[in-house]
C-alpha cells in the first residue's frame, strides 16, 4: 500500500507525514497539525520568553524564533495520537535567533508506544553532530532501519549545545516512513487500551 509510505525527497517538501496530517492527506489546505489538535507537542520546560508557542516546533515556516528554556537533558515529544509510524528519515530546522547560538550537537531521536513511561527506543544517536550551524538551517537524517511502529517520538538532548547550554532551539520537525492508524490491527490496540483503563 504505497499510499501509506511517505518518502523523503528534500527538506520540508510536501512528502512528509506531518504535512500529510496537516493537509488532511491531500484533502484540505495545510495547517500546522499541532495547532489543529491532530498531534500533541510536549516539552520538558516552558518555552522561552520571546519564543513562539510549542506548536511551532512542528511548523514548516522559516523565520521563527522557537526554543525551550534550558533544563538538563532538555526534550520535546510529539504524540501522533491514533496513528503510529515506522520511520525512515526525519528533518529538523534550527530557529532563526539572530544571535546564532545554541545549535544542537548531542541528542537522540527516540520512539515509544508509552509516552508517559521510560520505555524509549533510541532510533538515532547524534554525537558532536555539527549539521545545524546557521539560523533557519535544516538537515535531514536517515534513521537506521526500524521494524517498529511508534506513536510517540522524542528528541532528547544528551549534551549541551554549541553555546554550552541546554536550550533546545527548533522551529521545524518532519518525519517520513510508513504510517498506520491504531485500529488497522482489527481493533486489538483499542481493546488493549480499554482493558488497561479498566484495570
Amino acid at each position: 500500500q504505497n499510499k501509506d509510505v511517505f518518502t523523503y525527497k528534500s527538506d520540508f517538501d510536501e512528502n512528509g507525514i506531518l504535512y500529510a496530517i496537516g493537509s488532511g492527506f491531500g484533502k484540505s489546505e495545510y495547517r500546522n497539525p499541532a495547532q489543529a489538535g491532530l498531534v500533541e507537542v510536549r516539552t520538558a520546560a516552558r518555552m522561552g520568553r520571546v519564543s513562539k508557542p510549542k506548536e511551532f516546533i512542528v511548523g514548516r515556516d522559516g523565520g521563527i524564533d522557537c526554543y525551550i528554556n534550558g533544563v538538563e537533558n532538555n526534550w520535546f515529544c510529539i504524540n501522533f495520537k491514533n496513528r503510529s509510524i515506522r520511520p525512515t528519515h526525519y528533518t529538523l530546522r534550527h530557529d532563526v535567533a539572530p544571535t546564532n547560538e545554541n545549535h544542537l550537537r548531542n541528542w537522540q531521536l527516540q520512539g515509544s508506544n508509552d509516552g508517559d513511561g521510560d520505555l524509549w527506543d533510541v532510533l538515532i544517536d547524534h554525537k558532536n553532530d555539527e549539521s545545524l550551524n546557521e539560523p533557519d538551517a535544516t538537515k535531514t537524517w536517515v534513521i537506521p532501519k526500524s521494524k517498529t511502529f511508534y506513536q510517540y517520538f522524542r528528541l532528547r538532548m544528551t549534551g549541551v549545545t554549541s553555546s554550552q547550554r541546554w536550550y533546545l532551539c527548533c522551529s521545524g520537525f518532519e518525519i517520513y516512513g510508513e504510517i498506520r492508524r491504531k485500529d488497522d490491527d482489527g481493533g486489538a490496540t483499542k481493546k488493549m487500551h480499554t482493558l488497561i483503563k479498566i484495570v
Side-chain angles (χ1 to χ4, degrees):
Q1 294 182 342
N2 290 332
K3 66 179 181 179
D4 295 326
V5 177
F6 296 80
T7 305
Y8 169 78
K9 288 188 179 176
S10 61
D11 293 3
F12 293 102
D13 54 23
E14 296 183 357
N15 300 319
I17 289 172
L18 282 163
Y19 181 84
I21 293 171
S23 60
F25 294 87
K27 295 176 183 173
S28 58
E29 188 175 341
Y30 170 81
R31 187 179 169 203
N32 181 312
Q35 290 178 317
L38 302 171
V39 302
E40 179 193 15
V41 177
R42 293 188 228 162
T43 58
R46 291 184 181 218
M47 303 305 288
R49 185 174 55 84
V50 296
S51 171
K52 292 283 191 182
K54 63 185 179 181
E55 288 77 16
F56 282 80
I57 289 172
V58 297
R60 296 178 54 81
D61 297 330
I64 302 293
D65 208 348
C66 187
Y67 64 95
I68 306 168
N69 279 325
V71 292
E72 191 170 349
N73 298 122
N74 211 344
W75 56 264
F76 67 79
C77 172
I78 303 166
N79 175 5
F80 282 85
K81 297 190 174 183
N82 64 331
R83 297 181 175 93
S84 57
I85 297 162
R86 185 174 66 182
T88 60
H89 299 72
Y90 84 109
T91 306
L92 293 178
R93 183 194 300 277
H94 186 76
D95 76 354
V96 77
T99 51
N100 195 28
E101 294 179 318
N102 291 309
H103 301 284
L104 285 167
R105 290 293 180 261
N106 299 280
W107 76 96
Q108 295 175 343
L109 180 69
Q110 304 171 334
S112 178
N113 285 303
D114 177 21
D116 295 320
D118 296 322
L119 300 173
W120 292 92
D121 295 338
V122 177
L123 304 177
I124 181 168
D125 189 6
H126 300 267
K127 293 182 178 175
N128 298 314
D129 188 329
E130 298 184 358
S131 300
L132 298 170
N133 273 317
E134 301 292 333
D136 259 353
T138 67
K139 171 71 177 179
T140 297
W141 293 268
V142 174
I143 297 169
K145 201 166 181 73
S146 172
K147 296 178 181 176
T148 305
F149 285 81
Y150 298 101
Q151 177 183 340
Y152 301 90
F153 290 88
R154 181 170 74 174
L155 188 149
R156 183 178 184 269
M157 294 174 65
T158 56
V160 290
T161 66
S162 58
S163 307
Q164 304 301 306
R165 296 177 184 159
W166 289 102
Y167 285 96
L168 204 173
C169 302
C170 180
S171 62
F173 182 97
E174 183 58 280
I175 195 162
Y176 301 80
E178 188 177 355
I179 186 172
R180 69 182 183 193
R181 293 181 65 87
K182 277 298 183 78
D183 52 9
D184 281 357
D185 58 2
T189 307
K190 200 175 287 180
K191 288 173 190 169
M192 190 176 290
H193 282 308
T194 305
L195 286 170
I196 290 168
K197 285 173 184 172
I198 290 169
V199 171

mmCIF file with all atom_site columns, all heavy atoms in Angstrom, residues 145-163:
data_model
loop_
_atom_site.group_PDB
_atom_site.id
_atom_site.type_symbol
_atom_site.label_atom_id
_atom_site.label_alt_id
_atom_site.label_comp_id
_atom_site.label_asym_id
_atom_site.label_entity_id
_atom_site.label_seq_id
_atom_site.pdbx_PDB_ins_code
_atom_site.Cartn_x
_atom_site.Cartn_y
_atom_site.Cartn_z
_atom_site.occupancy
_atom_site.B_iso_or_equiv
_atom_site.pdbx_formal_charge
_atom_site.auth_seq_id
_atom_site.auth_comp_id
_atom_site.auth_asym_id
_atom_site.auth_atom_id
_atom_site.pdbx_PDB_model_num
ATOM 1   N N   . LYS A 1 145 ? 17.312 1.291  9.847  1.00 0.00 ? 145 LYS A N   1
ATOM 2   C CA  . LYS A 1 145 ? 16.094 0.509  9.590  1.00 0.00 ? 145 LYS A CA  1
ATOM 3   C C   . LYS A 1 145 ? 15.359 0.142  10.876 1.00 0.00 ? 145 LYS A C   1
ATOM 4   O O   . LYS A 1 145 ? 15.855 -0.593 11.714 1.00 0.00 ? 145 LYS A O   1
ATOM 5   C CB  . LYS A 1 145 ? 16.463 -0.756 8.820  1.00 0.00 ? 145 LYS A CB  1
ATOM 6   C CG  . LYS A 1 145 ? 15.287 -1.368 8.086  1.00 0.00 ? 145 LYS A CG  1
ATOM 7   C CD  . LYS A 1 145 ? 15.768 -2.396 7.074  1.00 0.00 ? 145 LYS A CD  1
ATOM 8   C CE  . LYS A 1 145 ? 14.623 -3.010 6.318  1.00 0.00 ? 145 LYS A CE  1
ATOM 9   N NZ  . LYS A 1 145 ? 14.011 -2.132 5.349  1.00 0.00 ? 145 LYS A NZ  1
ATOM 10  N N   . SER A 1 146 ? 14.162 0.674  11.005 1.00 0.00 ? 146 SER A N   1
ATOM 11  C CA  . SER A 1 146 ? 13.319 0.393  12.163 1.00 0.00 ? 146 SER A CA  1
ATOM 12  C C   . SER A 1 146 ? 12.219 -0.580 11.770 1.00 0.00 ? 146 SER A C   1
ATOM 13  O O   . SER A 1 146 ? 11.602 -0.431 10.715 1.00 0.00 ? 146 SER A O   1
ATOM 14  C CB  . SER A 1 146 ? 12.696 1.694  12.696 1.00 0.00 ? 146 SER A CB  1
ATOM 15  O OG  . SER A 1 146 ? 11.740 1.408  13.697 1.00 0.00 ? 146 SER A OG  1
ATOM 16  N N   . LYS A 1 147 ? 11.982 -1.560 12.610 1.00 0.00 ? 147 LYS A N   1
ATOM 17  C CA  . LYS A 1 147 ? 10.923 -2.538 12.349 1.00 0.00 ? 147 LYS A CA  1
ATOM 18  C C   . LYS A 1 147 ? 9.657  -2.239 13.135 1.00 0.00 ? 147 LYS A C   1
ATOM 19  O O   . LYS A 1 147 ? 8.639  -2.888 12.957 1.00 0.00 ? 147 LYS A O   1
ATOM 20  C CB  . LYS A 1 147 ? 11.425 -3.939 12.698 1.00 0.00 ? 147 LYS A CB  1
ATOM 21  C CG  . LYS A 1 147 ? 12.583 -4.404 11.821 1.00 0.00 ? 147 LYS A CG  1
ATOM 22  C CD  . LYS A 1 147 ? 13.063 -5.782 12.236 1.00 0.00 ? 147 LYS A CD  1
ATOM 23  C CE  . LYS A 1 147 ? 14.231 -6.234 11.365 1.00 0.00 ? 147 LYS A CE  1
ATOM 24  N NZ  . LYS A 1 147 ? 14.780 -7.532 11.791 1.00 0.00 ? 147 LYS A NZ  1
ATOM 25  N N   . THR A 1 148 ? 9.744  -1.236 13.996 1.00 0.00 ? 148 THR A N   1
ATOM 26  C CA  . THR A 1 148 ? 8.652  -0.955 14.924 1.00 0.00 ? 148 THR A CA  1
ATOM 27  C C   . THR A 1 148 ? 7.890  0.310  14.527 1.00 0.00 ? 148 THR A C   1
ATOM 28  O O   . THR A 1 148 ? 8.487  1.275  14.060 1.00 0.00 ? 148 THR A O   1
ATOM 29  C CB  . THR A 1 148 ? 9.208  -0.786 16.348 1.00 0.00 ? 148 THR A CB  1
ATOM 30  O OG1 . THR A 1 148 ? 9.971  -1.948 16.689 1.00 0.00 ? 148 THR A OG1 1
ATOM 31  C CG2 . THR A 1 148 ? 8.097  -0.595 17.369 1.00 0.00 ? 148 THR A CG2 1
ATOM 32  N N   . PHE A 1 149 ? 6.575  0.278  14.714 1.00 0.00 ? 149 PHE A N   1
ATOM 33  C CA  . PHE A 1 149 ? 5.733  1.463  14.565 1.00 0.00 ? 149 PHE A CA  1
ATOM 34  C C   . PHE A 1 149 ? 5.621  2.144  15.930 1.00 0.00 ? 149 PHE A C   1
ATOM 35  O O   . PHE A 1 149 ? 5.381  1.478  16.943 1.00 0.00 ? 149 PHE A O   1
ATOM 36  C CB  . PHE A 1 149 ? 4.338  1.080  14.080 1.00 0.00 ? 149 PHE A CB  1
ATOM 37  C CG  . PHE A 1 149 ? 4.268  0.717  12.628 1.00 0.00 ? 149 PHE A CG  1
ATOM 38  C CD1 . PHE A 1 149 ? 4.635  -0.546 12.191 1.00 0.00 ? 149 PHE A CD1 1
ATOM 39  C CD2 . PHE A 1 149 ? 3.827  1.643  11.694 1.00 0.00 ? 149 PHE A CD2 1
ATOM 40  C CE1 . PHE A 1 149 ? 4.563  -0.892 10.853 1.00 0.00 ? 149 PHE A CE1 1
ATOM 41  C CE2 . PHE A 1 149 ? 3.745  1.311  10.343 1.00 0.00 ? 149 PHE A CE2 1
ATOM 42  C CZ  . PHE A 1 149 ? 4.116  0.045  9.923  1.00 0.00 ? 149 PHE A CZ  1
ATOM 43  N N   . TYR A 1 150 ? 5.784  3.458  15.957 1.00 0.00 ? 150 TYR A N   1
ATOM 44  C CA  . TYR A 1 150 ? 5.723  4.219  17.212 1.00 0.00 ? 150 TYR A CA  1
ATOM 45  C C   . TYR A 1 150 ? 4.662  5.305  17.141 1.00 0.00 ? 150 TYR A C   1
ATOM 46  O O   . TYR A 1 150 ? 4.505  5.969  16.114 1.00 0.00 ? 150 TYR A O   1
ATOM 47  C CB  . TYR A 1 150 ? 7.069  4.890  17.496 1.00 0.00 ? 150 TYR A CB  1
ATOM 48  C CG  . TYR A 1 150 ? 8.220  3.939  17.684 1.00 0.00 ? 150 TYR A CG  1
ATOM 49  C CD1 . TYR A 1 150 ? 9.122  3.715  16.643 1.00 0.00 ? 150 TYR A CD1 1
ATOM 50  C CD2 . TYR A 1 150 ? 8.423  3.275  18.895 1.00 0.00 ? 150 TYR A CD2 1
ATOM 51  C CE1 . TYR A 1 150 ? 10.194 2.851  16.811 1.00 0.00 ? 150 TYR A CE1 1
ATOM 52  C CE2 . TYR A 1 150 ? 9.493  2.409  19.066 1.00 0.00 ? 150 TYR A CE2 1
ATOM 53  C CZ  . TYR A 1 150 ? 10.373 2.207  18.015 1.00 0.00 ? 150 TYR A CZ  1
ATOM 54  O OH  . TYR A 1 150 ? 11.437 1.353  18.179 1.00 0.00 ? 150 TYR A OH  1
ATOM 55  N N   . GLN A 1 151 ? 3.996  5.512  18.276 1.00 0.00 ? 151 GLN A N   1
ATOM 56  C CA  . GLN A 1 151 ? 3.034  6.614  18.398 1.00 0.00 ? 151 GLN A CA  1
ATOM 57  C C   . GLN A 1 151 ? 3.709  7.894  18.867 1.00 0.00 ? 151 GLN A C   1
ATOM 58  O O   . GLN A 1 151 ? 3.277  8.997  18.515 1.00 0.00 ? 151 GLN A O   1
ATOM 59  C CB  . GLN A 1 151 ? 1.923  6.233  19.387 1.00 0.00 ? 151 GLN A CB  1
ATOM 60  C CG  . GLN A 1 151 ? 0.911  7.353  19.633 1.00 0.00 ? 151 GLN A CG  1
ATOM 61  C CD  . GLN A 1 151 ? -0.130 6.974  20.672 1.00 0.00 ? 151 GLN A CD  1
ATOM 62  O OE1 . GLN A 1 151 ? -0.346 5.794  20.951 1.00 0.00 ? 151 GLN A OE1 1
ATOM 63  N NE2 . GLN A 1 151 ? -0.776 7.967  21.264 1.00 0.00 ? 151 GLN A NE2 1
ATOM 64  N N   . TYR A 1 152 ? 4.750  7.757  19.676 1.00 0.00 ? 152 TYR A N   1
ATOM 65  C CA  . TYR A 1 152 ? 5.434  8.913  20.266 1.00 0.00 ? 152 TYR A CA  1
ATOM 66  C C   . TYR A 1 152 ? 6.870  8.990  19.759 1.00 0.00 ? 152 TYR A C   1
ATOM 67  O O   . TYR A 1 152 ? 7.569  7.979  19.684 1.00 0.00 ? 152 TYR A O   1
ATOM 68  C CB  . TYR A 1 152 ? 5.486  8.799  21.793 1.00 0.00 ? 152 TYR A CB  1
ATOM 69  C CG  . TYR A 1 152 ? 4.150  8.696  22.468 1.00 0.00 ? 152 TYR A CG  1
ATOM 70  C CD1 . TYR A 1 152 ? 3.563  7.448  22.686 1.00 0.00 ? 152 TYR A CD1 1
ATOM 71  C CD2 . TYR A 1 152 ? 3.473  9.827  22.905 1.00 0.00 ? 152 TYR A CD2 1
ATOM 72  C CE1 . TYR A 1 152 ? 2.332  7.334  23.318 1.00 0.00 ? 152 TYR A CE1 1
ATOM 73  C CE2 . TYR A 1 152 ? 2.243  9.730  23.543 1.00 0.00 ? 152 TYR A CE2 1
ATOM 74  C CZ  . TYR A 1 152 ? 1.679  8.479  23.752 1.00 0.00 ? 152 TYR A CZ  1
ATOM 75  O OH  . TYR A 1 152 ? 0.468  8.363  24.372 1.00 0.00 ? 152 TYR A OH  1
ATOM 76  N N   . PHE A 1 153 ? 7.301  10.207 19.456 1.00 0.00 ? 153 PHE A N   1
ATOM 77  C CA  . PHE A 1 153 ? 8.701  10.458 19.104 1.00 0.00 ? 153 PHE A CA  1
ATOM 78  C C   . PHE A 1 153 ? 9.222  11.574 19.997 1.00 0.00 ? 153 PHE A C   1
ATOM 79  O O   . PHE A 1 153 ? 8.546  12.588 20.198 1.00 0.00 ? 153 PHE A O   1
ATOM 80  C CB  . PHE A 1 153 ? 8.844  10.834 17.633 1.00 0.00 ? 153 PHE A CB  1
ATOM 81  C CG  . PHE A 1 153 ? 8.575  9.674  16.715 1.00 0.00 ? 153 PHE A CG  1
ATOM 82  C CD1 . PHE A 1 153 ? 7.278  9.411  16.287 1.00 0.00 ? 153 PHE A CD1 1
ATOM 83  C CD2 . PHE A 1 153 ? 9.597  8.838  16.310 1.00 0.00 ? 153 PHE A CD2 1
ATOM 84  C CE1 . PHE A 1 153 ? 7.017  8.328  15.459 1.00 0.00 ? 153 PHE A CE1 1
ATOM 85  C CE2 . PHE A 1 153 ? 9.340  7.753  15.484 1.00 0.00 ? 153 PHE A CE2 1
ATOM 86  C CZ  . PHE A 1 153 ? 8.052  7.495  15.060 1.00 0.00 ? 153 PHE A CZ  1
ATOM 87  N N   . ARG A 1 154 ? 10.414 11.360 20.533 1.00 0.00 ? 154 ARG A N   1
ATOM 88  C CA  . ARG A 1 154 ? 11.009 12.350 21.437 1.00 0.00 ? 154 ARG A CA  1
ATOM 89  C C   . ARG A 1 154 ? 12.410 12.702 20.973 1.00 0.00 ? 154 ARG A C   1
ATOM 90  O O   . ARG A 1 154 ? 13.208 11.818 20.657 1.00 0.00 ? 154 ARG A O   1
ATOM 91  C CB  . ARG A 1 154 ? 11.049 11.792 22.867 1.00 0.00 ? 154 ARG A CB  1
ATOM 92  C CG  . ARG A 1 154 ? 11.631 12.773 23.876 1.00 0.00 ? 154 ARG A CG  1
ATOM 93  C CD  . ARG A 1 154 ? 11.440 12.288 25.306 1.00 0.00 ? 154 ARG A CD  1
ATOM 94  N NE  . ARG A 1 154 ? 12.345 11.189 25.656 1.00 0.00 ? 154 ARG A NE  1
ATOM 95  C CZ  . ARG A 1 154 ? 12.458 10.679 26.879 1.00 0.00 ? 154 ARG A CZ  1
ATOM 96  N NH1 . ARG A 1 154 ? 11.686 11.138 27.871 1.00 0.00 ? 154 ARG A NH1 1
ATOM 97  N NH2 . ARG A 1 154 ? 13.296 9.686  27.122 1.00 0.00 ? 154 ARG A NH2 1
ATOM 98  N N   . LEU A 1 155 ? 12.695 14.001 20.909 1.00 0.00 ? 155 LEU A N   1
ATOM 99  C CA  . LEU A 1 155 ? 14.062 14.456 20.717 1.00 0.00 ? 155 LEU A CA  1
ATOM 100 C C   . LEU A 1 155 ? 14.590 14.840 22.088 1.00 0.00 ? 155 LEU A C   1
ATOM 101 O O   . LEU A 1 155 ? 14.037 15.720 22.743 1.00 0.00 ? 155 LEU A O   1
ATOM 102 C CB  . LEU A 1 155 ? 14.105 15.647 19.759 1.00 0.00 ? 155 LEU A CB  1
ATOM 103 C CG  . LEU A 1 155 ? 15.514 16.089 19.334 1.00 0.00 ? 155 LEU A CG  1
ATOM 104 C CD1 . LEU A 1 155 ? 15.490 16.678 17.931 1.00 0.00 ? 155 LEU A CD1 1
ATOM 105 C CD2 . LEU A 1 155 ? 16.120 17.096 20.306 1.00 0.00 ? 155 LEU A CD2 1
ATOM 106 N N   . ARG A 1 156 ? 15.651 14.163 22.509 1.00 0.00 ? 156 ARG A N   1
ATOM 107 C CA  . ARG A 1 156 ? 16.200 14.370 23.862 1.00 0.00 ? 156 ARG A CA  1
ATOM 108 C C   . ARG A 1 156 ? 17.681 14.715 23.770 1.00 0.00 ? 156 ARG A C   1
ATOM 109 O O   . ARG A 1 156 ? 18.468 13.983 23.153 1.00 0.00 ? 156 ARG A O   1
ATOM 110 C CB  . ARG A 1 156 ? 16.016 13.109 24.702 1.00 0.00 ? 156 ARG A CB  1
ATOM 111 C CG  . ARG A 1 156 ? 16.494 13.237 26.149 1.00 0.00 ? 156 ARG A CG  1
ATOM 112 C CD  . ARG A 1 156 ? 16.220 11.942 26.912 1.00 0.00 ? 156 ARG A CD  1
ATOM 113 N NE  . ARG A 1 156 ? 16.572 12.039 28.315 1.00 0.00 ? 156 ARG A NE  1
ATOM 114 C CZ  . ARG A 1 156 ? 17.768 11.724 28.813 1.00 0.00 ? 156 ARG A CZ  1
ATOM 115 N NH1 . ARG A 1 156 ? 18.737 11.298 28.004 1.00 0.00 ? 156 ARG A NH1 1
ATOM 116 N NH2 . ARG A 1 156 ? 18.017 11.844 30.109 1.00 0.00 ? 156 ARG A NH2 1
ATOM 117 N N   . MET A 1 157 ? 18.052 15.838 24.348 1.00 0.00 ? 157 MET A N   1
ATOM 118 C CA  . MET A 1 157 ? 19.447 16.249 24.357 1.00 0.00 ? 157 MET A CA  1
ATOM 119 C C   . MET A 1 157 ? 20.255 15.359 25.295 1.00 0.00 ? 157 MET A C   1
ATOM 120 O O   . MET A 1 157 ? 19.807 15.045 26.403 1.00 0.00 ? 157 MET A O   1
ATOM 121 C CB  . MET A 1 157 ? 19.570 17.711 24.785 1.00 0.00 ? 157 MET A CB  1
ATOM 122 C CG  . MET A 1 157 ? 18.962 18.687 23.792 1.00 0.00 ? 157 MET A CG  1
ATOM 123 S SD  . MET A 1 157 ? 18.942 20.402 24.383 1.00 0.00 ? 157 MET A SD  1
ATOM 124 C CE  . MET A 1 157 ? 20.707 20.747 24.484 1.00 0.00 ? 157 MET A CE  1
ATOM 125 N N   . THR A 1 158 ? 21.435 14.957 24.849 1.00 0.00 ? 158 THR A N   1
ATOM 126 C CA  . THR A 1 158 ? 22.336 14.149 25.689 1.00 0.00 ? 158 THR A CA  1
ATOM 127 C C   . THR A 1 158 ? 23.582 14.934 26.078 1.00 0.00 ? 158 THR A C   1
ATOM 128 O O   . THR A 1 158 ? 24.432 14.445 26.809 1.00 0.00 ? 158 THR A O   1
ATOM 129 C CB  . THR A 1 158 ? 22.758 12.870 24.955 1.00 0.00 ? 158 THR A CB  1
ATOM 130 O OG1 . THR A 1 158 ? 23.357 13.227 23.704 1.00 0.00 ? 158 THR A OG1 1
ATOM 131 C CG2 . THR A 1 158 ? 21.547 11.977 24.702 1.00 0.00 ? 158 THR A CG2 1
ATOM 132 N N   . GLY A 1 159 ? 23.683 16.152 25.580 1.00 0.00 ? 159 GLY A N   1
ATOM 133 C CA  . GLY A 1 159 ? 24.805 17.036 25.905 1.00 0.00 ? 159 GLY A CA  1
ATOM 134 C C   . GLY A 1 159 ? 24.411 18.462 25.577 1.00 0.00 ? 159 GLY A C   1
ATOM 135 O O   . GLY A 1 159 ? 23.353 18.711 24.966 1.00 0.00 ? 159 GLY A O   1
ATOM 136 N N   . VAL A 1 160 ? 25.255 19.404 25.957 1.00 0.00 ? 160 VAL A N   1
ATOM 137 C CA  . VAL A 1 160 ? 24.929 20.819 25.783 1.00 0.00 ? 160 VAL A CA  1
ATOM 138 C C   . VAL A 1 160 ? 25.046 21.230 24.313 1.00 0.00 ? 160 VAL A C   1
ATOM 139 O O   . VAL A 1 160 ? 25.586 20.499 23.478 1.00 0.00 ? 160 VAL A O   1
ATOM 140 C CB  . VAL A 1 160 ? 25.856 21.706 26.646 1.00 0.00 ? 160 VAL A CB  1
ATOM 141 C CG1 . VAL A 1 160 ? 25.524 21.517 28.121 1.00 0.00 ? 160 VAL A CG1 1
ATOM 142 C CG2 . VAL A 1 160 ? 27.328 21.413 26.347 1.00 0.00 ? 160 VAL A CG2 1
ATOM 143 N N   . THR A 1 161 ? 24.537 22.413 24.024 1.00 0.00 ? 161 THR A N   1
ATOM 144 C CA  . THR A 1 161 ? 24.562 22.965 22.674 1.00 0.00 ? 161 THR A CA  1
ATOM 145 C C   . THR A 1 161 ? 25.951 23.496 22.320 1.00 0.00 ? 161 THR A C   1
ATOM 146 O O   . THR A 1 161 ? 26.889 23.449 23.131 1.00 0.00 ? 161 THR A O   1
ATOM 147 C CB  . THR A 1 161 ? 23.563 24.121 22.549 1.00 0.00 ? 161 THR A CB  1
ATOM 148 O OG1 . THR A 1 161 ? 24.021 25.193 23.407 1.00 0.00 ? 161 THR A OG1 1
ATOM 149 C CG2 . THR A 1 161 ? 22.169 23.701 22.954 1.00 0.00 ? 161 THR A CG2 1
ATOM 150 N N   . SER A 1 162 ? 26.050 24.083 21.127 1.00 0.00 ? 162 SER A N   1
ATOM 151 C CA  . SER A 1 162 ? 27.294 24.725 20.698 1.00 0.00 ? 162 SER A CA  1
ATOM 152 C C   . SER A 1 162 ? 27.672 25.888 21.615 1.00 0.00 ? 162 SER A C   1
ATOM 153 O O   . SER A 1 162 ? 28.829 26.307 21.654 1.00 0.00 ? 162 SER A O   1
ATOM 154 C CB  . SER A 1 162 ? 27.150 25.231 19.260 1.00 0.00 ? 162 SER A CB  1
ATOM 155 O OG  . SER A 1 162 ? 26.069 26.146 19.164 1.00 0.00 ? 162 SER A OG  1
ATOM 156 N N   . SER A 1 163 ? 26.704 26.413 22.369 1.00 0.00 ? 163 SER A N   1
ATOM 157 C CA  . SER A 1 163 ? 26.940 27.520 23.313 1.00 0.00 ? 163 SER A CA  1
ATOM 158 C C   . SER A 1 163 ? 27.077 27.027 24.751 1.00 0.00 ? 163 SER A C   1
ATOM 159 O O   . SER A 1 163 ? 26.990 27.818 25.692 1.00 0.00 ? 163 SER A O   1
ATOM 160 C CB  . SER A 1 163 ? 25.802 28.538 23.209 1.00 0.00 ? 163 SER A CB  1
ATOM 161 O OG  . SER A 1 163 ? 25.616 28.952 21.876 1.00 0.00 ? 163 SER A OG  1
#
